Amino acid sequence: MNYPVISRPGSIKAELRPNTTLCAMFTHWILALIHGLAAIAAAPANLSAECLRDTMEYMADLNSAEPKIYAKLMYDALGKQGSGIINGNVDRLGSYSECLSVQAPGRKFEGEYCKMHVEQEGVKFVIGICVPDSCSSRDITTMASMDILKYRGTSFLKPLPSFVIQNETIPTVAETFCSRGLFPADTFAIICLCLSCLFIILPIIGSIYTAVLNFKASSAFEQCKTIILHRKQQDPERDKPAAKSNFPLEEEYGSEKKHTCTDRVLKSFAIQENFPAVMTGIPQNHEYPALNGIRVLSLLWIISGHTSQLASVFNIDNSFEWKSRVLEKPLYFYTLSGPVFLGVDSFFFLSGFLGAKSFLILTENSGQEVTLAMVVRYIYKRLRRLQPLHLASIPISIGLISLVKWGAFWELPKHQWDSCRRVWWANTLLITNFISVSDSCTGWAWYLSADFQFHLTTPLVIFLYVRAKHLMFAAVTLIFAACIITSTLLSYFLKLSIRYPRGESQSRMNYWVEYYTKPYCRYGPFLVGMILAIMIVKKQSPYIKTRAQAVLGWISALVIMLTVITLAFVLDDAPSSYSIMAALYQGLHRSLWAVALGLILVLCHEEYGGHLNTMLSCEAWSFLSKISYACYLTHPIIIILYCGLQETLFHYQDINMLYLFIGHSALTIIVGLLLTVLVERPFQRLMHI
């Protein structure tokens, strides 16, 4: 009896696999060929032929039955949809480093990482894509619109899920940006690198030169000199006319060498002289030590705000959660919650107070007269304080940007790079808050421009005070009213947010360009500082004479601060229901904050500060206050460096932000100390020669 032969399922599959594989490979090859020919035929004239050829080869190798390794790596580096979309994780970055490691067989092309800025039903997001390096940004945008980039029939531009969008629409690519990490070194970058090296070489040479001079003046060198001279006197050959000694005569050792300009320049850069002066020199603001604490706490406030601001713009994968927590709750007012960057207004207040105090001392030394020479001297002194380190920070930042191989968030350093090449001259003239504010070189330097412009008014106010006090107070009142009215009207008609702006792009730009950086909107705190300096310096007896007055002063200061912070959360600043109260708050709150600081300063100065005065007057603040200017200029560069080197998004949590703030602050202090010792103090000494 014949039984049918029953084969195992695997045996049939084994017999059919070769034919099936060959058939599948042939089918995919035919489809890829047809797709490639159709793409070439439909390719627009502005699409690079080399790019299209390499891309079609990549598509064919990817969609074959057995994709090649390089094609799998390029596709694996493609940004794909992740979880947490509802919380803001809409960007798909992919793998930046994996893409750059790709190399096609025969070295035909290498992997290039690009970001496609995609929009679907008003939702904007980014897709990271790995393409051949023969393609330009425009080529990628063109091929995406042609729907060439596919894997197994599925487009690389996968749409958002249905629970995010209402209709089944196709994502569109608005623009594409590509990078391979390093920016091309041009003449501007090379000049910046050379200047940066000079800031390192000069302190080294100056330190060696000063060390040699100090050794010559030491007792050890004197002993060596005595021994050499003693041996020289016992040498009978020394009396011969032909014999010429290689050692200087005793008279030459005893004579003082005249200090040349080169000597003074090199000694100005000596680290062994500048470092101790910064660490243990005369405390800053020794008459008003509480100013040091206010300055440093304000600086840390600014660093905290920039840490949260820059990270939220580029690196957070739950941006919606960050906005709902950090920007809405008073608990986070030391970052970006509530009033925006009141720490900057604290700086303006301190600058106005110290500037007016300095100019008043000049008038006392000149017999209560304000002369043109005095005004020129005051302005020169201010430029001498601001510009050396300010201008040095530009080549240092550009030199650093030129050397670093950036990650997936290269846009921020690239923006800095391009802006400095175009408008560096605005930093030189201190007009960055008026010229190309949105694309300024070292955008945080707007503060220096506004501060210098404010200082130009100090001699005028003091002149009016010396000549006619009543006229001065009338002029100050008019200026205050003008600043308040201007800020209020701008806020009302432009509907400017009283908190961190997060509406439409034009509304955000109006806030930073038309209001935040303009001197006529930010002059109030500086003017408060000037008036307080005039009142304190010229007043012989204390203002606060009883404990009851001190208690009233503390209550007033704390109530003003609490009101300024609270109203930012209470008032409605939505564009659809914008009120005059919100606009009036915008015009008043920064000056009121300075008034509260002025009350605290007076209370601490007249010994009614208690434990708060002890804390603000701590000696540790004095050292940090000396390097605060360098810290202000360098902390954004450090934050940009950190953000630009990232390859993936990170998840917002309070502990993560706290660690970032601590890390940025610690590194800022280290770099600020180095720049103060290597750049700021040497140039200050040079200008005193």
Side-chain angles (χ1 to χ4, degrees), residues 118-296:
V118 184
E119 184 173 357
Q120 184 178 4
E121 293 189 15
V123 180
K124 298 179 180 180
F125 55 100
V126 170
I127 298 179
I129 184 174
C130 190
V131 295
D133 61 350
S134 57
C135 297
S136 65
S137 300
R138 187 174 60 180
D139 292 335
I140 304 303
T141 303
T142 303
M143 288 191 296
S145 63
M146 295 171 60
D147 200 22
I148 293 177
L149 308 172
K150 291 183 178 181
Y151 174 63
R152 298 287 195 259
T154 302
S155 174
F156 285 6
L157 276 71
K158 189 175 181 180
L160 293 169
S162 58
F163 61 83
V164 177
I165 57 176
Q166 297 179 353
N167 305 312
E168 293 185 1
T169 55
I170 299 175
T172 58
V173 179
E175 53 187 348
T176 305
F177 300 98
C178 300
S179 173
R180 289 195 58 82
L182 286 171
F183 301 146
D186 56 3
T187 304
F188 181 74
I190 293 173
I191 293 174
C192 290
L193 282 170
C194 293
L195 289 175
S196 301
C197 292
L198 193 63
F199 296 142
I200 299 175
I201 294 172
L202 281 177
I204 293 175
I205 296 175
S207 300
I208 295 174
Y209 180 80
T210 304
V212 172
L213 292 182
N214 292 339
F215 174 73
K216 286 185 176 182
S218 64
S219 58
F221 184 75
E222 289 293 331
Q223 293 177 0
C224 294
K225 180 188 68 174
T226 303
I227 294 172
I228 292 172
L229 290 174
H230 179 69
R231 290 180 178 176
K232 189 172 184 297
Q233 290 174 356
Q234 293 180 348
D235 187 1
E237 299 294 326
R238 69 181 183 89
D239 294 328
K240 294 182 179 180
K244 187 174 181 180
S245 175
N246 292 325
F247 300 99
L249 298 177
E250 187 174 1
E251 294 81 7
E252 293 176 350
Y253 280 108
S255 62
E256 292 186 0
K257 183 181 178 181
K258 293 183 179 180
H259 293 287
T260 64
C261 180
T262 304
D263 296 329
R264 291 192 291 267
V265 169
L266 292 178
K267 291 193 71 175
S268 297
F269 284 89
I271 298 176
Q272 59 266 49
E273 293 187 3
N274 293 325
F275 183 77
V278 174
M279 297 297 295
T280 60
I282 299 174
Q284 281 195 335
N285 310 315
H286 57 277
E287 296 182 38
Y288 306 92
L291 289 180
N292 294 327
I294 296 174
R295 184 191 301 276
V296 176

Side-chain angles (χ1 to χ4, degrees), residues 259-468:
H259 293 287
T260 64
C261 180
T262 304
D263 296 329
R264 291 192 291 267
V265 169
L266 292 178
K267 291 193 71 175
S268 297
F269 284 89
I271 298 176
Q272 59 266 49
E273 293 187 3
N274 293 325
F275 183 77
V278 174
M279 297 297 295
T280 60
I282 299 174
Q284 281 195 335
N285 310 315
H286 57 277
E287 296 182 38
Y288 306 92
L291 289 180
N292 294 327
I294 296 174
R295 184 191 301 276
V296 176
L297 291 176
S298 299
L299 173 66
L300 294 176
W301 193 353
I302 294 171
I303 295 176
S304 174
H306 283 158
T307 298
S308 183
Q309 180 185 21
L310 293 178
S312 66
V313 172
F314 291 94
N315 297 76
I316 291 180
D317 66 357
N318 54 339
S319 57
F320 297 162
E321 181 182 356
W322 174 84
K323 291 177 181 178
S324 63
R325 292 179 61 182
V326 174
L327 298 184
E328 296 295 335
K329 297 182 179 180
L331 180 63
Y332 299 93
F333 84 94
Y334 201 67
T335 53
L336 286 179
S337 180
V340 181
F341 290 121
L342 284 176
V344 176
D345 298 288
S346 302
F347 273 4
F348 282 139
F349 164 76
L350 297 178
S351 184
F353 178 82
L354 296 174
K357 177 175 171 289
S358 173
F359 198 85
L360 284 169
I361 293 174
L362 289 178
T363 60
E364 291 178 355
N365 295 336
S366 64
Q368 302 297 327
E369 288 293 334
V370 178
T371 62
L372 180 61
M374 185 188 305
V375 174
V376 172
R377 180 183 174 188
Y378 175 79
I379 295 175
Y380 170 73
K381 183 179 179 181
R382 194 61 196 166
L383 287 172
R384 187 178 66 190
R385 173 76 177 97
L386 292 179
Q387 287 299 75
L389 187 57
H390 172 210
L391 297 180
S393 67
I394 297 176
I396 290 174
S397 61
I398 297 302
L400 183 63
I401 290 173
S402 304
L403 296 176
V404 172
K405 188 174 183 180
W406 297 98
F409 299 92
W410 73 86
E411 296 96 337
L412 194 57
K414 186 66 165 58
H415 176 79
Q416 170 80 357
W417 165 286
D418 293 334
S419 299
C420 285
R421 287 168 35 147
R422 291 195 307 269
V423 293
W424 59 268
W425 51 269
N427 294 67
T428 305
L429 299 176
L430 289 173
I431 53 174
T432 54
N433 55 339
F434 283 107
I435 303 297
S436 186
V437 177
S438 58
D439 296 318
S440 61
C441 175
T442 60
W444 53 96
W446 73 267
Y447 163 80
L448 304 181
S449 299
D451 180 73
F452 178 72
Q453 292 156 15
F454 296 160
H455 275 278
L456 294 178
T457 66
T458 301
L460 177 60
V461 173
I462 303 301
F463 173 79
L464 292 176
Y465 175 79
V466 172
R467 290 298 181 91

Side-chain angles (χ1 to χ4, degrees), residues 74-82 91-94 127-128:
M74 291 180 70
Y75 181 73
D76 188 47
L78 171 70
K80 301 169 183 68
Q81 193 168 271
D91 290 339
R92 314 168 193 172
L93 293 182
I127 298 179

